[in-house]
Amino acid sequence: MKRINVGLVGFGTVGTGVVRVLKENSRIIRDRLGCEVVLKRIADRDIERDRGVDVPGEILTTSVDDVIDDPEISIVVELIGGTTAARDIILKAFERGKHVVTANKALLSTHGREIFQSAAEKGLGIGFEASVGGGIPIIKALREGLAANRVRSIYGIINGTANYILTRMTNEGGRFEEVLKDAQARGYAEADPTYDVEGIDTAHKLAILIDLAYGTYISLDDIYTEGITRITGIDVAFAREFGYKIKLLAIAKCEDGLVEARVHPTMIPLSHPLSPVDGVFNAVHIDGDVVGPVMFYGQGAGMMPTASAVVADVIDMSRDIMKSTGSRIPPLNCTKDAVRDIRIKRIEDIEVPYYLRFSAMDRPGVLSRISGVLGTHNISISSVIQKGRRKGGAVPLVIITHNASERELRSAVEEIEKLDVVVDRTMYIRIEETGGGTA
Ligand code: NDP
Ligand code: HSE
């Protein structure tokens, strides 16, 4: 039986999962492929650490070159993360005629053009299913299942760590720092967890989805990015009171040739299809002009779900190798000539409803001063709650607006914060009432 040799670089959380799947599911993989997938070498900086899975000592190496220079290895799996060494490894692997599988969204969202072009020029495959949505086959869905559609919108919960934190804050009143530590211990978080909580990892993944949906290479600077670090238990509780949940959403919407590309904490109604997506689960809701709304759901991070996506790419690539067809699907989901720049709608130009939480003095006339400023900026109020009484002190005053322009909203907040009755920074959270897409 034919053998296809694979080399792994990075024996960390996901790398360990990949080794386990290749071992534990070797029979089913062989039956599906009609060939043997053999893990020939594993490179990592530390080859002494017990990874909880048995591998023959002789396949372990601290030298990445032992993997990429091995002429018998056809597929290199890059799972070290980061954008420097990983980029070099992938480009060198292509130079040596090897196909590559990676889960590295940070790399693809910054150097995607160079990597995809290098793969295409050499007729080699680049698999990146695990880069977005962990175990959810969203890359395959966009490039293949939805290939007949113009994508009208994408709404995604695509960071497991942030969703885990927000869920535990919502359900148990968990404290941000403690829940983040727990997510790290479970292997969900990035090496630098600020990527997770500041929305950067979500922006990396949204960039990949936008590239595939619109046949472009979007710059990360064009994605408005805001994380969840300012969200407090008070906002989570108010959200519930108004019938909303707070989620870190990745949003791409294409209207009249302009694309909105943004990542930020968002209040969504409890009836929204993304509202029940909790914990480490991710979901991506896509509205296509032909298919209408579709939604993909599954575990977005962690050892085994991510390994499922990585090994699926290895299997896909092995099929191409067996048939000697080269990669059937262009990495960006369109031909080289069809790649184009897109026009981005700036965040200041969006119009959505807002949740505003002011820290206002508990005094008669305060509400009318705040609402007066909102009125001069053409922002109309949908509901107001003031909780508690603190004569002579500050209390949270929460306002939900109707659709308002972000530009006006920011000016109004700046003006309101200068009032002597407002004592702290104002919290504002954008609301998406629909976005679930209707047929
Ligand atoms: P880990 O940090 O757990 O694993 C990375 C491993 O690679 C570590 O053992 C690390 O060693 C090693 N390494 C780093 N640099 C080098 C190098 N230059 N040469 C050799 N070995 C090196 O990361 P994950 O497994 O969590 O993530 C891997 C990739 O998968 C990343 O791109 C990540 O974004 C992506 N990903 C992760 C998911 C998850 O749930 N964890 C889900 C989806 C994607 P050391 O520890 O000494 O640095
Ligand atoms: N840190 C990422 C997350 C890993 O929490 O979603 C999966 O890409």
Side-chain angles (χ1 to χ4, degrees):
M1 184 175 273
K2 188 173 162 67
R3 292 162 57 112
I4 292 182
N5 292 316
V6 173
L8 171 65
V9 185
F11 198 7
T13 304
V14 184
T16 301
V18 167
V19 175
R20 281 181 53 189
V21 181
L22 288 175
K23 266 170 81 93
E24 291 163 16
N25 286 2
S26 64
R27 170 107 191 252
I28 198 163
I29 293 170
R30 191 184 60 212
D31 288 351
R32 287 185 176 151
L33 263 176
C35 83
E36 202 94 51
V37 173
V38 178
L39 186 57
K40 187 152 186 283
R41 294 308 307 255
I42 302 175
D44 195 281
R45 282 204 277 247
D46 179 355
I47 55 171
E48 303 300 328
R49 202 184 315 165
D50 180 6
R51 312 277 177 173
V53 58
D54 281 337
V55 288
E58 66 273 15
I59 74 167
L60 292 168
T61 174
T62 53
S63 162
V64 173
D65 290 342
D66 285 346
V67 174
I68 52 181
D69 287 338
D70 185 333
E72 293 181 356
I73 287 177
S74 312
I75 302 173
V76 171
V77 178
E78 178 281 303
L79 292 173
I80 64 170
T83 55
T84 311
R87 171 179 166 272
D88 291 349
I89 290 165
I90 291 178
L91 293 175
K92 274 191 192 154
F94 288 145
E95 275 162 27
R96 285 154 183 70
K98 297 178 195 314
H99 305 273
V100 170
V101 174
T102 180
N104 195 333
K105 55 270 172 161
L107 179 67
L108 294 180
S109 57
T110 46
H111 296 287
R113 187 189 296 266
E114 180 185 30
I115 286 168
F116 288 175
Q117 282 178 356
S118 174
E121 273 160 24
K122 296 180 173 67
L124 294 163
I126 167 89
F128 51 100
E129 185 60 71
S131 65
V132 184
I136 306 172
I138 188 66
I139 303 294
K140 200 176 242 314
L142 259 178
R143 292 202 304 183
E144 299 181 49
L146 299 175
N149 286 263
R150 279 197 187 84
V151 174
R152 291 194 288 225
S153 67
I154 301 173
Y155 286 81
I157 293 174
I158 47 179
N159 183 273
T161 304
N163 202 43
Y164 184 76
I165 293 172
L166 288 173
T167 302
R168 292 208 29 206
M169 283 174 79
T170 305
N171 295 352
E172 304 156 27
R175 283 197 44 240
F176 189 99
E177 296 77 13
E178 277 161 26
V179 187
L180 171 59
K181 277 201 187 111
D182 185 23
Q184 287 176 289
R186 289 166 186 259
Y188 302 157
E190 294 304 300
D192 176 355
T194 56
Y195 277 43
D196 297 291
V197 296
E198 294 297 356
I200 302 163
D201 177 74
T202 303
H204 290 159
K205 293 164 174 167
L206 179 62
I208 295 170
L209 295 179
I210 288 177
D211 287 356
L212 298 183
Y214 302 111
T216 193
Y217 291 106
I218 191 172
S219 157
L220 286 172
D221 294 339
D222 283 334
I223 299 181
Y224 173 80
T225 304
E226 193 184 302
I228 60 166
T229 46
R230 285 194 64 223
I231 301 290
T232 63
I234 303 175
D235 300 308
V236 168
F238 274 120
R240 194 184 297 124
E241 204 154 317
F242 283 109
Y244 294 108
K245 258 192 189 177
I246 302 177
K247 294 288 185 189
L248 180 64
L249 286 200
I251 300 173
K253 281 194 229 178
C254 184
E255 259 176 39
D256 304 325
L258 278 181
V259 177
E260 279 180 38
R262 49 193 168 99
V263 170
H264 51 72
T266 313
M267 283 195 182
I268 52 174
L270 293 172
S271 57
H272 193 288
L274 292 173
S275 163
V277 178
D278 277 342
V280 74
F281 279 81
N282 281 192
V284 182
H285 184 288
I286 297 179
D287 188 21
D289 66 339
V290 186
V291 71
V294 283
M295 192 158 116
F296 304 84
Y297 171 80
Q299 292 181 73
M303 180 185 289
M304 298 315 280
T306 312
S308 162
V310 171
V311 176
D313 276 344
V314 169
I315 293 172
D316 251 6
M317 235 155 240
S318 301
R319 289 198 167 114
D320 289 342
I321 294 171
M322 297 274 287
K323 293 229 182 278
S324 311
T325 51
S327 188
R328 249 180 351 107
I329 301 162
L332 204 59
N333 195 24
C334 63
T335 65
K336 197 171 71 188
D337 299 337
V339 175
R340 64 195 174 100
D341 289 335
I342 51 171
R343 288 168 55 225
I344 302 291
K345 185 168 185 176
R346 290 156 51 93
I347 188 76
E348 294 80 6
D349 295 329
I350 69 162
E351 285 195 12
V352 291
Y354 291 83
Y355 157 95
L356 297 161
R357 177 173 54 79
F358 301 101
S359 242
M361 297 305 286
D362 185 11
R363 218 189 263 166
V366 171
L367 179 59
S368 71
R369 290 182 68 191
I370 290 176
S371 62
V373 176
L374 292 174
T376 59
H377 287 272
N378 209 20
I379 298 167
S380 89
I381 294 173
S382 153
S383 352
V384 181
I385 295 185
Q386 187 201 306
K387 274 283 166 79
R389 294 243 47 200
R390 251 184 94 199
K391 274 208 173 133
V395 285
L397 172 69
V398 173
I399 292 179
I400 303 282
T401 74
H402 291 295
N403 255 16
S405 125
E406 173 106 9
R407 182 172 285 103
E408 291 297 334
L409 190 283
R410 288 184 186 190
S411 307
V413 166
E414 211 183 306
E415 222 172 288
I416 290 167
E417 283 179 347
K418 286 185 189 139
L419 299 176
D420 56 3
V421 292
V422 171
V423 297
D424 210 343
R425 272 186 76 190
T426 302
M427 181 69 182
Y428 61 90
I429 302 177
R430 298 167 193 86
I431 299 175
E432 288 287 328
E433 289 289 357
T434 56
T438 44

